[in-house]
């Protein structure tokens, strides 16, 4: 292996991969058997830490050569950048070498399009297959599915990868046509439909036959770029909700557009999407998936944008003060989940604990309830904190006065492995 040559490729292709944020690995249960390398499990966490480090996937592109000219992409064919491409064996060797040095626990592999979808996807699948069958690697593998790839390749990819994802790129078809006229959203949706059906089928087979091969055990996900086109938060979340329901996605990732190219169709340079907008979309997404909220409760035609000052659950509560206060000792789980400051685990603890006695503020605090916001919306076995004469706007101001945003920084740094 030519070390200098490989290092140059790493610098180019790891930097190009940083714009893809959908690299979490939760949900995989691939077991290490026959003394293989690595072990993908729910314990693996891959996210940015507070100091900006990315832990702990090798996150690269196979190549930044691309036949498409998407206005928002740094790898677009008309962009004058240094190009590089790994061979299949180089990616395999890098993954194993980094793993053995304890730098990584798995591989996140995406790619530009060499000459067509199948040509590129076939190489991604070969990498995963070599890692599994030749290197006996049982660590986490996330492959980006190439839109337009054949069902046969998608099927093979699911046998070796823990998670597969197809990037929608733009929240709407109109936005995609504006910035990537050579692409077709139908080509992106087709593999999603195949993967949904294949995952369901293989799950049923696994119930009947213990030795049936696992297939994409961590499911499929997608990513949308926000801020490159003028879609509002309502359009973004409605699109995400549709894909969750239609294709059983595990996650939709929201990536704020980072202006890297001058183009009349794009926002001006140095006008990055505020990180807090990404955060609000993720919070709203969480409410839809785990808290029983419908999209039109979070955003609607009269309020198409999320409030950047406060989280969407607090925003809903302030707009619906008639639903409060909630008696924490009597309300059902679904209503408790709608109280600002009470998370999923805390709500479950409340429902379980109140069987043994009435709960007070001290009990709630010990359960992890954020009383600085919950106290305005609930009653319990105490009169302390209760101020029922406050309006929604008063409550918002009180909470803002005692809160500090976690999203002061607007940049993210990828771990430098080389």
């Amino acid at each position: 292996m030519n070390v200098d040559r490989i290092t140059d490729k790493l610098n180019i292709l790891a930097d190009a991969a940083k714009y893809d944020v959908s690299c979490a690995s939760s949900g995989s249960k691939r077991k290490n058997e026959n003394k293989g390398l690595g072990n993908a499990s729910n314990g693996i966490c891959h996210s940015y830490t507070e100091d900006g480090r990315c832990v702990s996937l090798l996150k690269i592109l196979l190549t930044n050569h691309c036949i498409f000219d998407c206005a928002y992409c740094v790898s677009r064919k008309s962009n004058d950048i240094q190009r590089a491409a790994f061979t299949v064996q180089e990616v395999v060797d890098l993954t194993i070498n980094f793993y053995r040095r304890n730098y990584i626990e798995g591989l996140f592999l995406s790619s530009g399009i060499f000459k067509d979808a199948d040509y590129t996807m076939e190489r991604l699948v070969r990498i995963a297959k070599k890692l599994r069958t030749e290197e006996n690697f049982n660590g986490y593998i996330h492959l980006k599915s190439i839109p337009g790839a054949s069902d046969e390749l998608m099927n093979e990819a699911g046998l070796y990868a823990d998670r597969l994802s197809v990037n929608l790129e733009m929240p709407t078809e109109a936005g995609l046509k504006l910035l990537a006229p050579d692409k077709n959203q139908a080509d992106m949706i087709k593999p999603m439909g195949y993967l949904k059906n294949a995952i369901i089928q293989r799950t049923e087979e696994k119930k009947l036959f213990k030795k049936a091969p696992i297939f994409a055990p961590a499911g499929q996900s997608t990513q949308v770029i926000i801020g490159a086109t003028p879609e509002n938060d309502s359009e973004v979340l409605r699109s995400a909700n549709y894909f969750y329901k239609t294709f059983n996605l595990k996650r939709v990732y929201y990536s704020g557009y980072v202006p890297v190219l001058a183009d009349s169709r794009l926002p001006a340079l140095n006008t990055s999407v505020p990180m807090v907008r990404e955060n609000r979309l993720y919070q709203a997404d969480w409410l839809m998936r785990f808290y029983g909220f419908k999209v039109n409760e979070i955003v609607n035609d009269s309020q198409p944008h999320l409030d950047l000052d406060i989280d969407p659950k607090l925003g809903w509560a302030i707009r619906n003060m008639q639903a409060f206060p909630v008696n924490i000792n009597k309300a059902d789980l679904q209503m408790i989940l709608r109280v600002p400051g009470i998370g999923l685990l805390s709500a479950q603890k409340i429902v379980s604990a109140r069987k043994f006695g009435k709960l007070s503020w001290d009990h709630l605090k010990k359960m992890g309830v954020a009383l600085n916001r919950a106290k305005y919306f609930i009653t319990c076995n105490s009169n302390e904190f209760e101020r029922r004469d406050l309006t929604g706007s008063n409550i918002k101001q009180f909470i803002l006065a005692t809160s500090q945003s976690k999203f002061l920084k607007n940049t993210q740094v990828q771990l430098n492995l080389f």
Side-chain angles (χ1 to χ4, degrees):
M1 182 185 295
N2 186 322
V3 176
D4 290 338
R5 176 179 169 81
I6 296 299
T7 301
D8 288 341
K9 289 183 180 183
L10 275 170
N11 282 315
I12 294 168
L13 296 174
D15 184 68
K18 69 185 179 183
Y19 297 103
D20 200 322
V21 299
S22 52
C23 62
S25 67
S26 58
S28 179
K29 296 180 180 178
R30 185 180 299 274
K31 294 181 180 179
N32 189 336
E33 298 175 346
N34 300 322
K35 297 181 180 180
L37 291 171
N39 194 341
S41 68
N42 288 328
I44 300 175
C45 179
H46 310 281
S47 59
Y48 287 97
T49 60
E50 291 183 357
D51 60 359
R53 293 178 296 110
C54 184
V55 183
S56 57
L57 295 175
L58 175 59
K59 182 182 176 186
I60 54 174
L61 298 184
L62 178 61
T63 182
N64 64 348
H65 291 277
C66 195
I67 62 173
F68 292 112
D69 201 30
C70 307
Y72 48 83
C73 183
V74 70
S75 297
R76 60 189 285 188
K77 67 180 181 182
S78 63
N79 195 22
D80 185 17
I81 59 171
Q82 189 174 5
R83 306 284 176 172
F86 286 119
T87 66
V88 169
Q89 192 59 46
E90 284 173 342
V91 177
V92 172
D93 291 341
L94 280 170
T95 303
I96 297 303
N97 287 332
F98 278 132
Y99 176 78
R100 284 177 172 154
R101 288 165 174 77
N102 203 31
Y103 292 158
I104 61 167
E105 296 170 89
L107 172 67
F108 177 91
L109 184 62
S110 186
S111 183
I113 314 299
F114 279 106
K115 60 180 183 181
D116 60 46
D118 278 353
Y119 184 88
T120 307
M121 190 69 201
E122 188 267 340
R123 279 152 179 75
L124 297 181
V125 172
R126 279 172 56 197
I127 290 168
K129 184 176 182 179
K130 274 179 168 285
L131 284 168
R132 297 297 191 208
T133 62
E134 296 180 16
E135 301 293 342
N136 204 13
F137 180 73
N138 287 284
Y140 179 77
I141 297 178
H142 183 157
L143 293 184
K144 272 308 174 75
S145 305
I146 306 301
S150 67
D151 290 349
E152 291 77 13
L153 283 169
M154 295 301 298
N155 179 69
E156 194 172 8
L159 295 174
Y160 302 116
D162 294 283
R163 175 169 288 183
L164 294 163
S165 56
V166 184
N167 281 359
L168 288 170
E169 301 183 12
M170 293 296 116
T172 63
E173 188 171 9
L176 185 68
K177 285 296 181 186
L178 174 65
L179 300 182
D182 295 336
K183 288 188 175 179
N184 187 343
Q185 194 178 69
D187 289 337
M188 301 172 179
I189 292 175
K190 182 175 177 288
M192 285 185 174
Y194 176 83
L195 288 173
K196 172 194 172 183
N197 295 330
I199 290 170
I200 292 173
Q201 179 184 340
R202 298 304 178 91
T203 302
E204 293 302 314
E205 290 176 357
K206 196 70 176 173
K207 292 177 182 177
L208 297 173
F209 307 103
K210 186 176 180 180
K211 292 189 179 297
I214 59 176
F215 186 91
Q220 63 168 321
S221 60
T222 192
Q223 174 177 305
V224 294
I225 300 170
I226 56 170
T229 45
E231 290 95 353
N232 56 42
D233 294 334
S234 178
E235 291 172 294
V236 172
L237 291 172
R238 288 179 194 280
S239 176
N241 187 56
Y242 168 80
F243 283 97
Y244 275 128
K245 290 185 175 181
T246 307
F247 299 103
N248 296 346
L249 297 187
K250 289 287 187 179
R251 289 287 303 272
V252 174
Y253 292 87
Y254 307 94
S255 177
Y257 173 66
V258 179
V260 292
L261 301 167
D263 191 299
S264 60
R265 296 168 291 175
L266 292 166
L269 296 175
N270 302 317
T271 56
S272 298
V273 175
M275 188 177 289
V276 68
R277 186 186 177 194
E278 282 186 41
N279 178 251
R280 297 297 180 228
L281 285 168
Y282 278 116
Q283 289 173 327
D285 185 280
W286 207 258
L287 294 182
M288 294 191 301
R289 291 192 292 137
F290 299 110
Y291 287 76
F293 282 80
K294 296 179 180 178
V295 177
N296 61 6
E297 293 181 292
I298 303 169
V299 284
N300 50 51
D301 292 339
S302 61
Q303 188 163 349
H305 291 284
L306 296 169
D307 192 330
L308 298 185
D309 291 331
I310 56 176
D311 68 83
K313 189 201 276 194
L314 178 57
W316 177 85
I318 287 173
R319 295 192 303 272
N320 293 272
M321 291 299 295
Q322 73 280 358
F324 300 100
V326 170
N327 186 329
I328 214 71
N329 287 298
K330 296 181 179 180
D332 61 29
L333 176 63
Q334 285 305 312
M335 193 60 220
I336 293 174
L337 284 171
R338 290 177 173 249
V339 176
I342 299 182
L344 189 60
L345 292 178
S346 296
Q348 292 168 345
K349 289 178 182 178
I350 288 168
V351 173
S352 297
R354 68 189 185 185
K355 297 175 185 177
F356 305 99
K358 292 185 177 181
L359 304 180
S360 67
W361 297 111
D362 287 338
H363 293 133
L364 296 178
K365 185 175 182 180
K366 290 176 182 178
M367 292 177 188
V369 174
L371 294 181
N372 64 324
R373 55 186 60 203
K375 65 184 180 182
Y376 299 107
F377 302 97
I378 61 176
T379 58
C380 63
N381 194 32
S382 171
N383 291 323
E384 189 182 1
F385 298 145
E386 292 188 22
R387 293 186 61 181
R388 302 299 161 209
D389 57 334
L390 295 177
T391 65
S393 58
N394 291 147
I395 292 172
K396 178 179 178 179
Q397 293 306 314
F398 275 124
I399 291 175
L400 285 176
T402 58
S403 300
Q404 184 174 2
S405 175
K406 300 177 183 178
F407 303 95
L408 300 177
K409 295 182 180 180
N410 202 24
T411 58
Q412 295 177 334
V413 180
Q414 185 176 354
L415 179 66
N416 189 340
L417 301 175
F418 7 94

